[in-house]
Amino acid sequence: MIFNVFSGTALRRSTSGGLIGERLTQLLAMIVMFALGYLGVGVMTFGQPDNTSLTVLAVILLLGALFVTLVLRLVRDVVQALN
């Protein structure tokens, strides 16, 4: 998710204002909230014994981070196609 925060920030800086810039600002705010949530889950589960539910949670969080990466790539490609 840290990679996604930096990628989203770079994408936001590379676009001009307007509707796309506004939506990218909102997207970046949501990415930051997700990253903080991931850190919160990491802190709350640190030192807990491994079990199935924590493994499932880790897989879900990993897939969520991959989804955000794909969305950022899609938005970047769309912005490049529009320019």
Side-chain angles (χ1 to χ4, degrees), residues 3 6-8 11 13 19-20 28 36-37 43-45 50-51 54 56 65-66 75 77-78 81:
F3 171 76
F6 288 122
S7 295
L11 182 61
R13 278 193 226 141
L19 182 63
I20 293 176
L28 184 59
L36 291 175
V43 167
M44 289 189 308
T45 60
D50 292 335
N51 59 29
L54 287 180
V56 170
L66 291 174
V75 170
D77 292 343
V78 168

Side-chain angles (χ1 to χ4, degrees), residues 1-71:
M1 282 306 290
I2 299 300
F3 171 76
N4 290 332
V5 170
F6 288 122
S7 295
T9 303
L11 182 61
R12 174 61 187 106
R13 278 193 226 141
S14 69
T15 60
S16 59
L19 182 63
I20 293 176
E22 179 183 333
R23 296 296 185 237
L24 281 174
T25 302
Q26 293 170 353
L27 180 64
L28 184 59
M30 292 192 70
I31 291 171
V32 168
M33 285 189 277
F34 274 119
L36 291 175
Y38 282 34
L39 288 174
V41 168
V43 167
M44 289 189 308
T45 60
F46 184 74
Q48 297 291 326
D50 292 335
N51 59 29
T52 306
S53 60
L54 287 180
T55 304
V56 170
L57 177 65
V59 169
I60 290 171
L61 291 177
L62 177 64
L63 293 175
L66 291 174
F67 176 76
V68 172
T69 301
L70 291 175
V71 168

